[in-house]
Amino acid sequence: MEKDNQQLQRTMTSRHIMMMALGGAIGAGLFKGSSSAIDMAGPSVIIAYLIGGIILLFVMQGLAEMAVRNSNARTFRDLVESILGKYPAYFLDWIYWKMWVLNITAEAVVAAIFIQYWLPEYPIWILALSVSVIVTVINLLSVKVFAETEYWLALIKITVIVVFIIAGLLLLLVTFGNHTAVGFSNLTKHGGFFPNGSTGLITAMFVVIYSYGGTEMIGVTLAETKNPEKVVPKAVRNTLVRIISFYIIPFFIIVSLIPWTEVNGVPESPFVMVFKMIGIPGADHIMNAVILLAIISSMNSGLYASSRVLYTQAMDGLIPQIFSRLSKKKVPVYAILICTSFLYIGVIISLFAGSKTFEYLMGSLGYTVLFIWLIIAFAHLKSRKKMPEQTSGYKVKFYPYTTWIAIIALCAILVGIVFTTSIIVTSITLAIYILITLSYVFKGRFYKA
């Protein structure tokens, strides 16, 4: 196959990129992980998501600046390698790939859980299998079809979150019919605003970082984005405000409306619980359907991101060339199929573990997002010395202070998580990282400069 025929097409626009970042970040972490985060931190989960949002802002600003300085980059590895060296770039590529293949597996199970709201008689694994097939088919279509599908899926869930915010504020502040305004007393009842103290807040940061993970997907879209040096900074600016708003405000509404002690341990999402309170017939079913679409949207983005990592690895001779082959629709079909295979491995796991599969996978994913953000932040810290100076374009204000704040905060969260996370999850994650490192050591001679 000719090299020209192996090149991805630049068909994605700013609106596609912005919605993909939202699609990646507003998924199971928000709709399912929210229960776990609230259970850990109580009402102070609002503070946890605010801190996470500020860290995310600083990391993404650095990513956008590096993208402007290196407009020929196709993915994270291209941005990081010239700054930090081959091993950090190699490690970043593979942990990012590992993050998404595990994430789409976890989200397939979560999607099945929400389908069970309507079909309780069907086991998790059958429902997860059905969702996996749908996501595979969408990704095998052209990039333009994929991007349009993702755009509209993301737009639907964002619209409903806005409706959720408006309805929630009405329930909190307005008395109507048989409903009495709830007010904000639930924020301090049941043990106070920090019912589990600082430990609860630190533990919740694990879920927070996992929930925000996916926004950095902008760094994987570079090869298929028109004018990335202009589009990426714009997408970063527009996306971050929305993500922080779509997390912090909904969490504020949830812990204000519902006693935090009643959120976890119920089959439905807290978002469904709030829509039940509205009293509109079928509102809970509408919300459940939207959440399901949101999770499929996130899986869609994840399969895209993981397959593009394999594609660029194959193009550079790091893995078999078959993964760089494109279909007539210009999508890396074999890379997509190998990533999809993990969805079906997840289906097999869920056959035995059921709904607990999500909790098992979420732990390792939180670690991985932390390391991805740390590597991006360290790369940005050194980027102005290693990359050519930009006379114009996007520049991070208050450099390097914002990047240092992000690094220090992420290291502090990492230490706290190590002491509060299951030793099994930590050990499995460490083993995966060691395996990636060993693969670099023993196969480094095949790495093309």
Side-chain angles (χ1 to χ4, degrees):
M1 184 175 294
E2 295 294 327
K3 182 104 174 177
D4 288 345
N5 293 330
Q6 291 178 268
Q7 297 298 316
L8 297 173
Q9 293 183 321
R10 293 185 180 273
T11 56
M12 286 197 278
T13 63
S14 178
R15 69 184 180 93
H16 292 140
I17 302 304
M18 184 181 72
M19 285 300 184
M20 275 191 65
L22 288 166
I26 302 178
L30 174 61
F31 295 115
K32 180 63 177 172
S34 55
S35 299
S36 302
I38 293 170
D39 192 49
M40 293 169 182
S44 67
V45 72
I46 302 166
I47 304 298
Y49 275 93
L50 177 60
I51 294 170
I54 293 170
I55 296 170
L56 174 63
L57 171 63
F58 293 161
V59 171
M60 290 297 293
Q61 283 179 335
L63 177 62
E65 183 180 282
M66 289 190 292
V68 168
R69 286 169 172 263
N70 188 355
S71 59
N72 293 321
R74 301 156 302 167
T75 184
F76 289 124
R77 181 159 49 83
D78 292 340
L79 291 176
V80 170
E81 183 175 290
S82 61
I83 303 168
L84 298 181
K86 292 179 179 178
Y87 169 67
Y90 180 90
F91 185 77
L92 176 61
D93 242 11
W94 282 111
I95 64 170
Y96 190 75
W97 179 81
K98 169 252 182 187
M99 179 192 80
W100 274 116
V101 294
L102 287 185
N103 190 65
I104 59 178
T105 301
E107 295 201 318
V109 174
V110 175
I113 292 170
F114 286 114
I115 294 174
Q116 273 194 331
Y117 188 72
W118 300 305
L119 305 170
E121 68 276 12
Y122 287 90
I124 290 288
W125 73 270
I126 288 180
L127 301 175
L129 178 62
S130 303
V131 172
S132 299
V133 171
I134 292 171
V135 172
T136 302
V137 171
I138 291 173
N139 270 265
L140 288 174
L141 299 174
S142 70
V143 174
K144 190 171 184 179
V145 170
F146 158 78
E148 281 296 322
T149 302
E150 183 57 26
Y151 176 85
W152 290 107
L153 284 175
L155 186 62
I156 289 170
K157 64 186 173 186
I158 289 166
T159 302
V160 172
I161 291 175
V162 171
V163 173
F164 171 87
I165 290 171
I166 295 170
L169 290 174
L170 285 173
L171 291 171
L172 282 173
L173 303 173
V174 180
T175 297
F176 54 89
N178 295 325
H179 171 77
T180 303
V182 177
F184 305 104
S185 60
N186 281 325
L187 291 174
T188 51
K189 284 182 179 179
H190 314 288
F193 191 74
F194 294 90
N196 296 323
S198 58
T199 301
L201 185 64
I202 293 170
T203 306
M205 288 304 301
F206 200 52
V207 181
V208 170
I209 296 298
Y210 160 72
S211 299
Y212 280 140
T215 317
E216 70 292 319
M217 186 187 302
I218 289 172
V220 183
T221 65
L222 299 176
E224 293 170 280
T225 304
K226 296 176 181 177
N227 304 316
E229 65 278 5
K230 295 180 180 179
V231 169
V232 172
K234 181 181 177 182
V236 167
R237 286 192 295 266
N238 292 341
T239 300
L240 286 167
V241 174
R242 288 165 174 79
I243 286 177
I244 294 171
S245 300
F246 293 150
Y247 272 91
I248 294 172
I249 296 175
F251 272 96
F252 173 76
I253 289 171
I254 289 168
V255 294
S256 298
L257 281 177
I258 307 168
W260 71 271
T261 51
E262 297 177 13
V263 171
N264 211 9
V266 292
E268 66 263 32
S269 164
F271 287 80
V272 175
M273 295 173 70
V274 170
F275 265 69
K276 277 185 175 180
M277 293 176 66
I278 298 173
I280 300 173
D284 55 327
H285 292 288
I286 295 170
M287 192 64 198
N288 200 65
V290 171
I291 291 173
L292 180 60
L293 287 176
I295 293 167
I296 291 174
S297 164
S298 183
M299 289 175 65
N300 210 26
S301 298
L303 188 52
Y304 169 88
S306 56
S307 64
R308 267 46 176 191
V309 170
L310 287 188
Y311 168 81
T312 54
Q313 290 270 12
M315 286 293 288
D316 292 346
L318 303 177
I319 59 175
Q321 286 291 309
I322 190 173
F323 296 114
S324 66
R325 292 182 185 175
L326 302 181
S327 68
K328 292 180 180 179
K329 299 290 187 180
K330 295 295 182 181
V331 296
V333 59
Y334 293 106
I336 289 172
L337 290 175
I338 196 67
C339 294
T340 301
S341 67
F342 283 84
L343 278 172
Y344 303 106
I345 292 172
V347 169
I348 295 170
I349 294 171
S350 67
L351 180 61
F352 302 99
S355 60
K356 288 290 182 183
T357 307
F358 176 71
E359 282 77 10
Y360 296 150
L361 293 173
M362 188 171 63
S364 181
L365 288 166
Y367 270 120
T368 302
V369 176
L370 264 175
F371 278 103
I372 289 169
W373 288 11
L374 275 169
I375 294 171
I376 292 172
F378 275 116
H380 179 239
L381 204 60
K382 297 181 66 177
S383 64
R384 293 195 182 181
K385 294 180 181 178
K386 297 280 188 176
M387 285 179 153
E389 183 63 33
Q390 290 287 108
T391 55
S392 62
Y394 182 83
K395 282 188 178 182
V396 173
K397 294 180 180 178
F398 307 114
Y399 170 91
Y401 305 109
T402 53
T403 305
W404 269 117
I405 290 170
I407 290 171
I408 293 168
L410 288 169
C411 288
I413 293 168
L414 178 60
V415 172
I417 287 172
V418 168
F419 285 102
T420 55
T421 303
S422 162
I423 188 67
I424 296 174
V425 170
T426 302
S427 300
I428 292 173
T429 305
L430 180 61
I432 293 171
Y433 293 169
I434 291 172
L435 185 63
I436 292 171
T437 302
L438 289 175
S439 73
Y440 174 79
V441 171
F442 291 112
K443 296 185 179 181
R445 62 182 179 275
F446 299 115
Y447 195 101
K448 292 184 179 180

